[in-house]
Amino acid sequence: MILYVLRRLAAGLVLAVLVTMITFALLSTSFDDVASSIVGSGATPDLVQDQKAQLGLDRPLFAQYLDWLSHAVRGDLGLSYFTSEPVRSAIAARLGVTLSIVLAALLVTVVISVVLGVLAATRGGAVDRIAQGVSMVGYLVPNLLIAIALVYVLAIELHWFPATGYTPLSENPARWVSTITIPVVALMMSGVAGLTSQIRGAMIGELRKDYVRTLRTRGIPTRSIVLRHALRGAAGPALTVLSLEFIQMLGGALIIEQVFALPGFGQYAFNASLQGDIPIIMGISLFGVLLVVGVNLVVDLVNGWLNPKARILS
C-alpha cells in the first residue's frame, strides 16, 4: 500500500510538471500583451521591452520555466504582476470560500443521492420515477440557468437569501449559511443527477447478487442487508463518480462565484486569466493538478478499504 501511494504521488508530480510546462508555453504567446497591460495606455515598444526585461520575460522560455519550478518546489509561487501580492497566500486566502461552497455542495449531494438511489433501487415505483426525474433535470438544465432562476425566486422575489456576497463562517455562522445556500443548490444539481443514477444502478446490481440471496435465506433483516452489505458494495463505483463530481464542481465554482460575486478561488482565477497575470495562472494550474491528484488518491484508498479485491489489484 505504501509503495502504491508513493507511485501515485510520483505520477502526480510528473503530471504537475507536464501541465505547468504546457501552461507556461501557452502563456508565452502573451508576454508582450502582459507587459503592455502593466505599462498602461502609454506603452511604446521600448517601454514594453523594458518591462519584459524587468519581469524576466525576455529570457529563454525553458530557463524561465526552470526558474519558476525551482521556486515552486520550495513553496514560492512568486508575486502577482499587478498587485504584488504573494500568489501562495492569495490562493490560500480565497480557497476557503471555494472549498466551503464545494464541500457543502458535495455533502448535500451525497446525502440526497444516497437516499434517492437506495430508495429507487429497493422500492421502485413512484420513488424510482422521482429519482430518475431529478437526474434528468440535473443533466439537462445548466448550473448557470439554475443559479439565475434561484436568485430571481429566492433572493429577489421572496427575499429569503441574499443575492450576492459572502460572510465567513468564523464571523457569523447563520449568515454564512444564508450566503452559500443558493450557490450550493445551483452547484449540486448536476452532481445529484450523476451520483443518484450511479448509486441506483450499482444498488440494483448488488441486490441481485448471490450473497444477498444467501443473507436473505439466513433471516438477515432487509435494512441490514441494504445498508451494511449492498450499499458498501455499491460505494466503490459511486466514489469514483463522486471524485469526478468534485472536480466538476471546482470548475463550476468559476461560474457560480462570478454570478454571486463570491471572493473565491474561481473568481480569482477568472480575473487573473483576463489580466494575463502569469504567476497567478501558474500557481492556480499547479494547485489544481495537485488537488485533483490528491482527491483521486484518497478515493483509491477508500475504495481499497471498502473492497479488499481492489486493494490487492493495486
Side-chain angles (χ1 to χ4, degrees):
M1 180 61 70
I2 295 177
L3 289 177
Y4 172 73
V5 172
L6 292 176
R7 287 200 304 270
R8 290 297 301 271
L9 290 176
L13 291 176
V14 172
L15 179 63
V17 170
L18 290 176
V19 169
T20 53
M21 186 183 296
I22 293 171
T23 301
F24 195 78
L26 294 174
L27 290 173
S28 65
T29 59
S30 64
F31 284 174
D32 287 338
D33 295 334
V34 172
S36 297
S37 297
I38 295 174
V39 173
S41 57
T44 63
D46 290 339
L47 287 175
V48 170
Q49 290 302 318
D50 289 343
Q51 185 63 55
K52 285 179 65 177
Q54 183 178 342
L55 296 175
L57 299 178
D58 59 340
R59 296 182 297 148
L61 189 62
F62 192 63
Q64 293 183 54
Y65 175 75
L66 287 181
D67 184 53
W68 175 86
L69 184 62
S70 65
H71 284 84
V73 170
R74 300 194 296 268
D76 178 13
L77 298 178
L79 302 176
S80 166
Y81 284 164
F82 294 89
T83 66
S84 298
E85 183 181 15
V87 174
R88 186 179 68 175
S89 60
I91 291 175
R94 293 163 176 81
L95 186 61
V97 178
T98 300
L99 287 183
S100 67
I101 299 169
V102 171
L103 293 179
L106 204 65
L107 177 61
V108 177
T109 296
V110 170
V111 173
I112 294 177
S113 299
V114 169
V115 172
L116 283 178
V118 170
L119 290 177
T122 55
R123 297 190 179 182
V127 178
D128 191 17
R129 289 193 292 272
I130 291 172
Q132 294 187 52
V134 170
S135 298
M136 186 68 68
V137 171
Y139 279 128
L140 295 179
V141 183
N143 285 349
L144 179 59
L145 186 59
I146 293 174
I148 294 173
L150 289 172
V151 168
Y152 179 76
V153 175
L154 299 180
I156 297 176
E157 291 293 325
L158 299 177
H159 303 288
W160 287 357
F161 303 99
T164 58
Y166 177 81
T167 300
L169 175 62
S170 57
E171 271 186 29
N172 188 327
R175 183 70 179 173
W176 172 76
V177 171
S178 68
T179 55
I180 71 167
T181 297
I182 298 180
V184 164
V185 174
L187 200 58
M188 76 180 196
M189 287 302 295
S190 60
V192 169
L195 194 58
T196 298
S197 298
Q198 177 61 52
I199 292 176
R200 173 186 175 275
M203 284 294 296
I204 290 174
E206 287 294 319
L207 292 173
R208 291 174 177 172
K209 290 184 177 179
D210 292 338
Y211 79 89
V212 172
R213 287 193 289 268
T214 302
L215 291 174
R216 292 186 192 278
T217 60
R218 292 181 179 178
I220 304 297
T222 301
R223 180 186 295 270
S224 179
I225 292 174
V226 170
L227 298 180
R228 295 184 58 186
H229 300 280
L231 185 57
R232 178 167 181 167
L239 278 172
T240 302
V241 173
L242 188 63
S243 68
L244 297 176
E245 296 294 348
F246 176 76
I247 296 168
Q248 182 179 347
M249 285 180 183
L250 282 176
L254 175 66
I255 299 174
I256 295 299
E257 288 176 4
Q258 292 298 315
V259 172
F260 295 99
L262 301 174
F265 183 75
Q267 189 181 65
Y268 187 57
F270 180 78
N271 292 334
S273 63
L274 289 180
Q275 292 179 317
D277 203 329
I278 294 172
I280 295 177
I281 297 173
M282 291 297 295
I284 288 172
S285 299
L286 175 62
F287 180 81
V289 173
L290 295 179
L291 186 60
V292 170
V293 170
V295 169
N296 287 331
L297 179 58
V298 170
V299 168
D300 285 348
L301 293 177
V302 174
N303 269 332
W305 174 72
L306 291 172
N307 185 3
K309 290 182 180 179
R311 185 165 62 240
I312 292 172
L313 291 175
S314 299

